[in-house]
């Protein structure tokens, strides 16, 4: 069994980590980095990637992880992340003449192929052992020692054929393998035990982004001071669209806690309709949360106000 370190649960990546900018959205393509940001920096994000074998489903989503512009800006300000123009970075990597990086990229692909071959050989050996163990047990319908021997021999032959058929079918089909990233593995020939790996991402080919790239996030919401203030208090935040607010605020990881507040940011001198405050307070009370208003003053400090319904 893999240790937590092997699975990436204790990963401490080299900073800053790349945050890919694709079509105006901020994405994380490495699940280990996403796990690190959630554990150490309270950045949850939203899984938007589908499974390769079921691209139309929307129940079990995975990488990439999309993060809010506020989260991207916070990571950039603290030197944890750097914004990378994904399309430009890929173009530069493909046109690069850095032979050493290409050789390292191909060597890692070859390493993955050998790991796949090793796993397939182990699976084949385990299948053979199960077949032999099953055939070693006497059949209850046998009428004598000679008949039992014939049944065992015939059973071994049938099981061996089934194991070979299953192995051949698995070899002909596409196999998903994950080391640092998901890849598709196809047999090179029908009679060869070597595998050719087609990477699903060119992340390994990309150079490490310099820290000076992407110093700010474009179109940053005016509610960013409120987000940063709540984050500094140790809160976890997720998009609050389903509750009619900007942020859903949790006292800890959303996997362990229910949210406590529905948060909405406002400018310091922004006029607010009283009915919006009443509606937000009633909505928060209806879902057992407080309605939180907040904004930054001209001096830079953030003030927050909680609206809750008690009794009438």
């Amino acid at each position: 069994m893999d240790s937590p370190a092997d699975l990436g649960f204790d990963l401490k990546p080299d900073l800053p980590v790349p945050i890919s900018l694709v079509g105006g959205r901020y994405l994380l393509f490495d699940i280990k980095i996403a796990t690190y940001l959630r554990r150490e920096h309270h950045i949850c994000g939203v899984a938007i990637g589908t499974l390769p074998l079921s691209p139309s489903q929307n129940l079990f989503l995975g990488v990439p992880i999309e993060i809010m512009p506020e989260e991207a800006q916070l990571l950039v300000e603290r030197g944890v992340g750097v914004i990378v123009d994904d399309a430009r970075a890929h173009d530069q990597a493909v046109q690069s003449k850095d032979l050493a990086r290409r050789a390292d990229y191909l060597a890692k692909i070859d390493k993955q192929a050998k790991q796949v071959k090793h796993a397939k050989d182990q699976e084949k050996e385990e299948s053979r052992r199960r077949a032999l163990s099953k055939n070693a047990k006497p059949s209850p319908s046998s009428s004598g020692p000679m008949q039992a021997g014939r049944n065992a021999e015939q059973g071994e032959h049938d099981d061996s054929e089934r194991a070979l058929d299953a192995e051949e079918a698995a070899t002909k089909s596409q196999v998903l393998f994950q080391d640092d990233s998901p890849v598709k593995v196809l047999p090179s020939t029908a009679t060869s035990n070597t595998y050719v790996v087609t990477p699903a991402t060119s992340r390994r080919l990309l150079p490490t982004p310099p820290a000076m790239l992407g110093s700010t996030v474009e179109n940053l919401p005016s509610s960013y001071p409120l987000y940063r203030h709540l984050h500094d208090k140790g809160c976890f935040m997720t998009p609050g669209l389903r509750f009619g607010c900007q942020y859903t605020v949790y006292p800890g990881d959303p996997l362990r806690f229910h949210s406590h507040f529905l948060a909405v940011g406002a400018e310091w001198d922004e006029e607010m309709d009283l009915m919006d405050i009443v509606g937000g307070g009633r909505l928060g009370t209806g879902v057992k949360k407080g309605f939180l208003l907040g904004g930054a003053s001209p001096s830079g400090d953030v003030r927050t106000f909680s609206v809750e319904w008690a009794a009438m």
Side-chain angles (χ1 to χ4, degrees), residues 131-287:
L132 293 177
S133 176
K134 182 178 180 181
N135 294 331
K137 299 179 181 179
S139 176
S141 59
S142 60
S143 57
M146 185 175 297
Q147 183 65 29
R150 294 195 187 98
N151 291 340
E153 182 178 356
Q154 182 64 30
E156 180 180 353
H157 178 71
D158 294 342
D159 288 339
S160 299
E161 286 188 350
R162 283 196 294 269
L164 291 175
D165 292 341
E167 180 189 354
E168 182 178 359
T171 302
K172 292 181 178 180
S173 63
Q174 293 184 356
V175 181
L176 291 178
F177 174 79
Q178 182 171 356
D179 178 13
D180 286 339
S181 60
V183 295
K184 291 190 296 184
V185 182
L186 297 176
S188 57
T189 62
T191 59
S192 176
N193 289 330
T194 60
Y195 293 87
V196 177
V197 175
T198 303
T201 175
S202 57
R203 174 177 54 83
R204 288 175 171 171
L205 189 59
L206 301 180
T208 303
M212 70 284 298
L213 289 179
S215 58
T216 59
V217 172
E218 297 180 358
N219 301 321
L220 191 66
S222 59
S223 59
Y224 175 67
L226 173 63
Y227 172 86
R228 182 175 54 191
H229 172 76
L230 295 175
H231 186 276
D232 291 340
K233 298 294 183 182
C235 297
F236 285 70
M237 279 160 287
T238 60
L241 179 61
R242 62 176 178 172
F243 289 111
C245 60
Q246 287 181 294
Y247 312 113
T248 309
V249 184
Y250 297 80
D253 194 299
L255 295 176
R256 301 177 57 195
F257 296 90
H258 289 288
S259 57
H260 284 191
F261 296 102
L262 307 179
V264 174
E267 298 288 348
W268 183 256
D269 55 353
E270 179 181 348
E271 294 185 1
M272 301 190 67
D273 193 325
L274 181 60
M275 295 305 297
D276 291 338
I277 300 177
V278 173
R282 289 176 62 87
L283 174 62
T285 302
V287 293

